Amino acid sequence: MADVTPGHVMAVLQPIWGEKRETARRVKQRISAICRWAVAQGHRTDDPAGAVVDVALPRNGVERRQMPALPYAEVADCIARVQASASSKLALEFLVLTAARSVEVRNATWDEMDVEGATWTVPAERMKANREHRVPLSSRALELLEEAAQLSDGSGLVFPGVRPGRPLSENTHAKLLRELGFDAVTHGFRSSFRDYAAEQTHTPHAVMEAALAHTIKNKAEAAYARSDLFERRRALMESWAGYLAG
């Protein structure tokens, strides 16, 4: 017992800590219980499965990883299958076409939509950067709004959930994607869009970042970035919609 070190414990736990969290947690508890018994019996002076191992293991039992995203070449197939699957299809396709965040789409209201101007204006309080964001709507996105209008429950939400007056659940689209067999999350479609823009178009970096409503971290660069490059983004979003339509 005196020869057991925290390194030995880590060697046992690390291979299963990310994939079998509950099993690894129980294994750690058993090792710790035996070692604490050994301390009480005078066989050693510390618990090698205690605090020092807690600090070394990944927090919450899982390694932080990038959100799974589909390669942009597979997104069109995903959309085709989504279109034939469920009532939440409109919101998911709208999310993909606008490269918006899930919470922005799920809570979108009709008074934010300017159909004639083909523009969606997301208020600052619903944006991650706390800054109003204009989204150019492609012709396909406008078609989706026409379909959504026919399903309106009168609450003002563009994509209402199952309960009247309530938005779609944050798990609705994740569940839908799993059922369709796609290893992706809704936020990953922003990555798919970004990869498409970088690899299949000649869009400047600033336009791509503006389309994703990313904040410019360089203060000097941000001071000169006074335009939201809206018209250039409109061309990009129409290109993205055309690519998805095949």
Side-chain angles (χ1 to χ4, degrees):
M1 283 301 301
D3 294 335
V4 178
T5 69
H8 293 135
V9 179
M10 287 291 290
V12 171
L13 296 179
Q14 279 184 313
I16 59 174
W17 192 256
E19 299 298 324
K20 301 177 181 179
R21 176 180 173 184
E22 182 59 23
T23 298
R25 186 182 65 80
R26 293 185 182 186
V27 169
K28 180 180 177 298
Q29 287 179 340
R30 303 284 176 86
I31 295 174
S32 182
I34 294 169
C35 291
R36 281 185 280 114
W37 176 88
V39 170
Q41 297 298 318
H43 299 307
R44 60 179 300 124
T45 59
D46 66 327
D47 176 7
V52 67
V53 169
D54 290 335
V55 173
L57 288 168
R59 208 180 333 177
N60 295 329
V62 293
E63 291 281 6
R64 186 173 178 83
R65 68 188 186 102
Q66 296 291 331
M67 293 184 178
L70 291 177
Y72 61 80
E74 297 179 21
V75 176
D77 176 53
C78 176
I79 287 295
R81 290 166 65 179
V82 164
Q83 288 173 338
S85 63
S87 61
S88 61
K89 66 180 184 180
L90 296 177
L92 182 54
E93 187 176 357
F94 189 83
L95 176 148
V96 174
L97 288 166
T98 56
R101 296 178 178 88
S102 174
V103 66
E104 295 159 10
V105 172
R106 288 186 291 104
N107 290 283
T109 58
W110 283 110
D111 58 8
E112 298 169 3
M113 302 295 173
D114 176 6
V115 176
E116 290 187 6
T119 303
W120 170 30
T121 304
V122 189
E125 59 267 24
R126 289 205 297 104
M127 291 299 299
K128 184 177 180 180
N130 294 315
R131 185 175 61 194
E132 182 181 275
H133 180 56
R134 294 193 302 162
V135 183
L137 299 176
S138 64
S139 54
R140 176 56 185 162
L142 292 173
E143 290 176 3
L144 292 174
L145 290 181
E146 287 184 19
E147 294 183 50
Q150 299 174 18
L151 302 176
S152 174
D153 64 355
S155 66
L157 289 168
V158 178
F159 305 108
V162 177
R163 296 181 182 179
R166 299 290 297 275
L168 289 167
S169 163
E170 62 180 336
N171 296 319
T172 299
H173 291 141
K175 181 174 181 291
L176 174 59
L177 290 170
R178 284 197 304 271
E179 290 175 349
L180 292 174
F182 290 102
D183 181 23
V185 296
T186 51
H187 197 79
F189 286 111
R190 286 166 58 82
S191 296
S192 305
F193 164 76
R194 180 64 170 76
D195 290 343
Y196 161 80
E199 296 184 18
Q200 296 293 324
T201 74
H202 298 291
T203 304
H205 176 267
V207 176
M208 293 186 286
E209 292 299 285
L212 293 169
H214 281 168
T215 302
I216 299 176
K217 296 181 180 180
N218 183 295
K219 292 183 179 180
E221 183 181 351
Y224 291 97
R226 301 184 181 256
S227 167
D228 63 359
L229 303 168
F230 190 74
E231 292 307 320
R232 300 192 72 172
R233 289 195 286 121
R234 183 178 293 285
L236 174 60
M237 304 316 286
E238 198 65 56
S239 170
W240 174 231
Y243 175 79
L244 297 181

